Amino acid sequence: LLYIFALLGTTNKKVVEICCGNGIECNAANLVSHHGWYGLLIDGNENLIKQGEAFYRKHKDTFGCPPFLKHAWLTKDNINQIIASEYGFSGEIDLLSFDMDGVDYWLLKELDVVSPRVIVLEYSNIWHIEKAVTVPYTDDFYFKNHDGNYNFAGASLPAFVKLLNKKGYRYVGSQSLGFNAFFVRNGIGEDCLPEISIEEIFTTPKVMYCTKDRLQSVKHLPWVEV
């Protein structure tokens, strides 16, 4: 993320993170703690949110202006309302981070209250390039409700690429372990961060292992093609 914003620059240094955990180890944490960003960090676990609030109140670089940590269980119907209800986080933001381990695809599809310049999201790298699939939507989706298998979650990279292409974003790469994807809004930085093929990430050893072995444990579950 630092590399991407070193190339693109920033506008308002605002970040919204969906499912931040305790907010201390999430994608926004380094930006908020050490680079002067202001964050809206949301998670459905109230205890984790309290841990994050305590951490940022004591952190030497954030106690004066800590990120806003919000406890909320997000659904397709409330995601825009919840984000818009917090002052300053609708409209243009520099970064949106999504890591629900669940119905990420469906909520991202509905989200329109923010216009991020960059999106980072976790995808299910157990699926190869030919399958655009996601888990079925329910308001209370939790992977443990489906055989307790953490591999039944999220959506494949082709599914997210299709969705975000329609929203005006291009895929510019993944991190080295091949489960976080980076997207940049079209019209920004094409000269330094051009669109790349998703095929490139599926040649790395880690991802090749995932597509070979982990998929078999959840392939029979009710994935939805999109």
Side-chain angles (χ1 to χ4, degrees):
L1 288 172
L2 289 177
Y3 173 71
I4 288 173
F5 284 106
L7 296 176
L8 300 180
T10 57
T11 57
N12 52 29
K13 291 190 174 182
K14 291 180 181 178
V15 52
V16 173
E17 178 131 5
I18 307 299
C19 290
C20 65
N22 61 14
I24 302 171
E25 298 180 4
C26 64
N27 286 321
N30 182 45
L31 299 174
V32 169
S33 297
H34 302 121
H35 298 278
W37 286 53
Y38 186 50
L40 170 60
L41 314 180
I42 305 173
D43 198 83
N45 186 313
E46 187 174 11
N47 288 331
L48 292 178
I49 289 295
K50 289 179 179 178
Q51 290 176 22
E53 288 174 335
F55 173 84
Y56 285 109
R57 279 197 302 266
K58 296 178 181 178
H59 194 287
K60 65 178 182 178
D61 293 320
T62 60
F63 73 87
C65 185
F68 192 89
L69 283 91
K70 185 174 184 66
H71 170 236
W73 186 270
L74 297 175
T75 69
K76 290 195 303 182
D77 296 324
N78 69 17
I79 184 170
N80 286 300
Q81 178 184 356
I82 287 175
I83 293 175
S85 68
E86 306 308 332
Y87 177 76
F89 285 101
S90 58
E92 179 95 353
I93 61 173
D94 274 320
L95 178 63
L96 171 69
S97 176
F98 241 97
D99 182 7
M100 295 187 71
D101 293 333
V103 290
D104 313 49
Y105 176 91
W106 303 109
L107 268 66
L108 185 59
K109 184 178 181 180
E110 296 299 319
L111 180 61
D112 59 15
V113 72
V114 290
S115 179
R117 297 171 70 238
V118 176
I119 298 174
V120 55
L121 56 81
E122 183 172 357
Y123 58 92
S124 176
N125 62 1
I126 63 177
W127 288 98
H128 210 266
I129 61 174
E130 73 278 3
K131 285 286 187 178
V133 296
T134 183
V135 296
Y137 181 81
T138 60
D139 283 346
D140 60 348
F141 182 90
Y142 187 40
F143 67 84
K144 288 187 177 180
N145 295 336
H146 298 270
D147 298 346
N149 196 315
Y150 72 93
N151 290 307
F152 187 63
S156 67
L157 182 56
F160 281 123
V161 169
K162 285 178 64 176
L163 173 63
L164 287 174
N165 280 171
K166 292 178 182 178
K167 286 176 170 280
Y169 292 83
R170 66 188 184 278
Y171 170 65
V172 299
S174 296
Q175 43 60 292
S176 59
L177 294 178
F179 57 79
N180 274 344
F182 301 90
F183 296 83
V184 177
R185 196 168 67 206
N186 293 336
I188 304 172
E190 278 91 346
D191 56 335
C192 55
L193 287 170
E195 184 171 25
I196 68 167
S197 168
I198 61 175
E199 296 177 3
E200 295 184 34
I201 193 60
F202 288 98
T203 61
T204 62
K206 175 70 173 179
V207 177
M208 291 174 68
Y209 161 77
C210 291
T211 56
K212 178 181 178 182
D213 296 322
R214 287 171 49 209
L215 177 60
Q216 300 310 312
S217 66
V218 293
K219 197 172 184 179
H220 65 287
L221 292 174
W223 296 90
V224 178
E225 291 203 45
V226 292

